[in-house]
Amino acid sequence: MSRAPRTLYEKIWDSHVVERAEDGTCLLYIDRHLVHEVTSPQAFEGLRLAGRPVRRPDLTLAVADHNLPTTKRVDANGMRLPIADPESAGQLAALEANVAEFGVPYLDADAAEQGIVHVVGPEQGFTLPGTILVCGDSHTAAHGALGALAFGIGTSEVEHVLATQSLQLKPSKTMEVRVDGSLGFGVSPKDLILFIIGRIGAGGGTGHVIEYRGEAFAAMSVEGRLTIANMSIEAGARSGLFAPDDKTFAYLKGRPMAPHGEEWERAVAAWRDLATDAGARFDRSIRFDAREVAPIVSWGTSPEDVAPITASVPEPDSFADPERRAAARKALAYMGLVAGQKLQDVAVEHIFIGSCTNSRIEDLRAAADVMRGRKVSASIRQALVVPGSGLVKRQAEAEGLDRIFTEAGFDWREPGCSMCLAMNPDKVPPQGRCASTSNRNFVGRQGPGARTHLLSPAMAAAAAVTGRLADVRELIRS
Amino acid sequence: MKAVTRIQGRAIPFGRRNVDTDVIIGAGHLKTITRIGLGRHAFETVRAEPGNVFDDPAFAGAPILIAGDNFGCGSSREHAAWALADMGIEAVIAPGFSDIFAGNAFRNGIAAIVLPQRAVDRLLVVAADHMLTVDLHIMTVASPAGDLYHFEMDAFRRECLMAGHDEIALTLAREPAIRAYELRTGT
């Protein structure tokens, strides 16, 4: 049977349609549901009030990440230490009570497998190509790196999925982001995604699902792709996709929740069909060459406010759009920056290496490579490395990365969302300036009044060494 | 959910673009395990600015908010929609919304209404002195100054808003189809 060529997105969508209404709204089956403590309590409460069970606990996985302090979790006897903030403790207790009541599989806060939900999913093989995966968290887009159609949902939808294992949705438009050529020396996937967001804007991908295509993405590791897909939402796209390939299969093979044996062979054979057909049309397409991309830092309060590290803080009047000019003026005032100031002259006092964007083993290796034999500048008040999961932490320790960081003057912490979002004790103080590998430089994101500069793990390490925003290429060359 | 068909009253002329859900409700207020009471914490960083529209007595209790493009971007936190609902907001008018926020708004009885930037710019001016009327039946925003703008809205969402449907109950009625899908795909 011949049919019109389809994009990867359309293939995954079509294979999950339970029912299609006349107006195009589809009841879509959801294969995988990740649950965390912040966006789930009201959903479980809703189920309880309506007397509804969780329809498929076996397709659901819960883990706490946002609230957990990143300091020591257990005492010398292995007993759990209490969380000082009563509200955070309450939210963790609510999650633990809810998973027990509804029979949802849970990675315990003290378990080695605990970590940031978007690090844990791929790491456990819970995230699989061709599946639809949701979580009450916008960075769910990350899982698209493995060829899963993955998107963030609100709490009402969390409750809907818990109750029905499905969602009522209309298809998104498709956008191709094609990058050929290879990334230059010292340029990482984080720089590339910040560059892309700068190009298409913080709302440029709204209503679209992005598929990342071309040589630069084909050459990229699965962990690099996770960084890229993760930040699709910062361009407004609800989801980002990579066609699964041999790198994806090698990454997943042997993961605890991935298929095994004959089932694995059958799965890989099916996954090989998960690619956009030749001749399939995207609603939008943008293309550029990877050689255009330099190490990037953000200067404002939206992830679209980015510039190469070699540039200066832009003049608000240089923007054509009057709304953008006004936003840039406000952003510079909040950030305490002056137009025309060289980005490399901007001093920082806080360094954060972590978050669901950049807390995997390759991220830690990249930062450690810069720190090896160097010290955190005396002008830095706080420098944190927060591994994305207990397993990442264990791996890093086996490689001796923890010693490189601690000898340099970094704090080596327990896994969690940490300083990305000011929900736990790791915060940037008012007017404090942080070089951060996280994903959002919003007003107050890292704490009230905090000033965030988004950058890659290697660039964060360069900032730690120099005490200012710095071009990592100058440090790793020397 | 409460049915919404017509919203009439003052409209807060906010107008800012790329307003993220961290601005609508800061992370410090996400530790709640209920949906109520978030309104007083909404827009805290904006309210710290002297002369901000949210603290202007003329707009106290206003049911409509006028915002700039890409409203509700960033985090998927439904707390943003809960906070707006708790403030008494029943409609947000903007040139564009983040996908996740727009869905969250509808599920909490808030109409996310998309109008072109020029119309929004005009309403930001009109709202200083006039009430606005949003009518979901005929899909219009009108002012007593003679403004009348038509908007489009997804039919399913509009029907859910106007009928106050429980979306989960609607889907649970499709249980045989969901079960059939699971059997067919071996899920």
Side-chain angles (χ1 to χ4, degrees):
Chain A
M1 190 181 80
S2 76
R3 60 191 305 173
R6 291 180 299 166
T7 62
L8 171 57
Y9 171 70
E10 288 157 347
K11 287 184 183 181
I12 300 176
W13 180 281
D14 289 349
S15 66
H16 287 79
V17 173
V18 173
E19 282 186 320
R20 197 184 306 262
E22 256 175 51
D23 72 344
T25 302
C26 292
L27 184 62
L28 272 199
Y29 196 79
I30 306 299
D31 301 297
R32 298 280 186 275
H33 187 190
L34 286 161
V35 171
H36 66 81
E37 80 278 21
V38 180
T39 57
S40 67
Q42 294 86 350
F44 283 113
E45 179 70 5
L47 292 182
R48 202 175 286 120
L49 290 172
R52 293 168 178 153
V54 172
R55 191 175 192 286
R56 291 292 300 266
D58 58 319
L59 302 180
T60 313
L61 179 63
V63 65
D65 54 7
H66 286 59
N67 272 283
L68 293 187
T70 58
T71 44
K72 230 161 91 78
R73 302 230 166 101
V74 290
D75 67 14
N77 302 317
M79 296 299 286
R80 188 190 282 188
L81 292 164
I83 297 178
D85 178 338
E87 285 184 310
S88 287
Q91 222 166 34
L92 178 63
L95 179 68
E96 295 187 333
N98 285 328
V99 294
E101 179 183 343
F102 288 92
V104 171
Y106 174 59
L107 298 173
D108 193 88
D110 311 332
E113 294 80 8
Q114 181 272 339
I116 306 173
V117 70
H118 309 307
V119 174
V120 163
E123 191 174 75
Q124 292 298 317
F126 184 74
T127 310
L128 294 175
T131 57
I132 295 187
L133 180 149
V134 297
C135 173
D137 190 284
S138 62
H139 291 111
T140 306
H143 305 261
L146 296 159
L149 176 57
F151 48 88
I153 57 177
T155 297
S156 295
E157 291 170 298
V158 170
E159 183 180 340
H160 194 285
V161 175
L162 289 171
T164 70
Q165 206 58 37
S166 65
L167 281 174
Q168 300 269 6
L169 291 168
K170 272 227 169 98
S172 300
K173 294 188 186 124
T174 53
M175 183 193 291
E176 171 189 43
V177 174
R178 185 175 188 98
V179 184
D180 286 315
S182 41
L183 290 173
F185 173 76
V187 182
S188 73
K190 181 64 166 290
D191 300 301
L192 177 55
I193 188 61
L194 288 171
F195 179 92
I196 291 168
I197 296 161
R199 274 283 172 100
I200 61 184
T206 302
H208 292 77
V209 164
I210 295 174
E211 183 179 337
Y212 298 97
R213 291 152 62 83
E215 296 162 5
F217 299 119
M220 196 175 278
S221 70
V222 169
E223 294 199 355
R225 295 173 187 178
L226 282 159
T227 299
I228 299 271
N230 175 276
M231 289 191 73
S232 303
I233 185 71
E234 308 314 331
R238 203 167 178 184
S239 196
L241 273 172
F242 286 78
D245 60 8
D246 287 334
K247 287 185 176 169
T248 319
F249 310 144
Y251 174 92
L252 281 170
K253 193 167 187 187
R255 303 266 171 193
M257 297 181 182
H260 291 275
E262 270 178 43
E263 227 183 299
W264 168 259
E265 301 302 330
R266 273 200 301 278
V268 171
W271 293 340
R272 287 194 189 280
D273 287 334
L274 291 170
T276 290
D277 295 327
R281 302 260 309 258
F282 290 89
D283 294 301
R284 254 182 92 186
S285 189
I286 66 159
R287 298 174 178 227
F288 57 90
D289 193 290
R291 282 163 289 202
E292 290 179 55
V293 184
I296 304 272
V297 296
S298 70
W299 51 263
T301 55
S302 164
E304 70 182 15
D305 299 338
V306 292
I309 181 64
T310 48
S312 301
V313 175
E315 285 286 350
D317 286 340
S318 67
F319 296 105
D321 172 21
E323 296 277 334
R324 183 92 204 264
R325 281 204 291 274
R329 253 181 232 111
K330 262 194 190 315
L332 293 193
Y334 178 82
M335 292 295 290
L337 296 174
V338 181
Q341 180 180 6
K342 280 204 168 70
L343 286 165
Q344 294 187 61
D345 290 342
V346 175
V348 299
E349 307 93 40
H350 302 268
I351 308 288
F352 173 52
I353 298 174
S355 87
C356 59
T357 310
N358 279 129
S359 63
R360 300 177 181 85
I361 191 68
E362 289 177 15
D363 300 315
L364 304 191
R365 287 178 191 148
D369 280 346
V370 176
M371 292 313 300
R372 196 169 279 119
R374 292 190 168 107
K375 295 281 182 204
V376 171
S377 163
S379 61
I380 300 291
R381 291 174 52 187
Q382 188 176 32
L384 295 184
V385 183
V386 187
S389 73
L391 297 180
V392 171
K393 182 169 187 258
R394 189 184 284 176
Q395 173 72 23
E397 287 171 352
E399 297 179 18
L401 305 185
D402 59 320
R403 287 197 307 281
I404 295 173
F405 287 120
T406 51
E407 284 165 15
F410 272 94
D411 276 0
W412 178 249
R413 293 294 185 88
E414 298 298 320
C417 296
S418 185
M419 206 180 255
C420 176
L421 88 168
M423 272 203 80
N424 54 68
D426 302 338
K427 291 187 184 72
V428 177
Q431 283 77 54
R433 189 180 296 283
C434 184
S436 177
T437 67
S438 56
N439 38 56
R440 288 187 173 137
N441 51 349
F442 296 159
V443 168
R445 173 77 180 184
Q446 294 191 290
R451 295 161 170 167
T452 304
H453 293 277
L454 304 175
L455 33 57
S456 75
M459 287 283 285
V465 171
T466 59
R468 55 183 171 77
L469 300 179
D471 191 338
V472 68
R473 293 173 298 191
E474 290 174 12
L475 272 83
I476 49 183
R477 226 173 240 144
S478 59
Chain B
M1 199 170 76
K2 189 181 73 165
V4 192
T5 50
R6 193 162 176 277
I7 303 142
Q8 187 168 51
R10 296 304 296 270
I12 305 169
F14 183 36
R16 217 169 276 181
R17 76 195 282 272
N18 281 343
V19 170
D20 56 73
T21 53
D22 277 76
V23 165
I24 301 173
I25 187 81
H29 304 297
L30 305 190
K31 297 179 188 181
T32 172
I33 55 171
T34 68
R35 297 175 197 234
I36 52 169
L38 289 169
R40 65 200 154 99
H41 302 300
F43 297 104
E44 261 177 4
T45 56
V46 180
R47 284 186 148 144
E49 299 170 11
N52 74 81
V53 286
F54 293 101
D55 290 325
D56 184 335
F59 303 113
I64 302 169
L65 176 69
I66 310 175
D69 197 13
N70 201 25
F71 185 76
C73 62
S75 160
S76 63
R77 59 189 68 168
E78 195 160 320
H79 308 68
W82 298 335
L84 292 178
D86 197 54
M87 280 172 73
I89 299 292
E90 295 175 5
V92 185
I93 301 170
F97 293 90
S98 101
D99 297 331
I100 301 176
F101 173 80
N104 287 340
F106 279 105
R107 290 187 187 88
N108 288 280
I110 299 170
I113 293 164
V114 178
L115 285 178
Q117 182 73 52
R118 267 177 41 201
V120 171
D121 287 343
R122 165 70 190 158
L123 291 175
L124 285 168
V125 176
V126 172
D129 304 307
H130 298 288
M131 295 201 303
L132 298 182
T133 304
V134 174
D135 191 321
L136 292 178
H137 277 294
I138 51 174
M139 292 188 277
T140 57
V141 179
S143 84
D147 302 274
L148 184 68
Y149 297 103
H150 178 76
F151 58 84
E152 297 292 332
M153 187 177 279
D154 179 81
F156 176 71
R157 284 182 170 174
R158 182 164 151 258
E159 188 194 315
C160 285
L161 270 179
M162 293 177 60
H165 279 320
D166 171 358
E167 205 183 320
I168 296 177
L170 291 180
T171 302
L172 283 172
R174 313 310 309 153
E175 169 65 21
I178 298 170
R179 185 78 198 110
Y181 176 92
E182 287 175 328
L183 290 171
R184 188 167 78 240
T185 57
T187 307

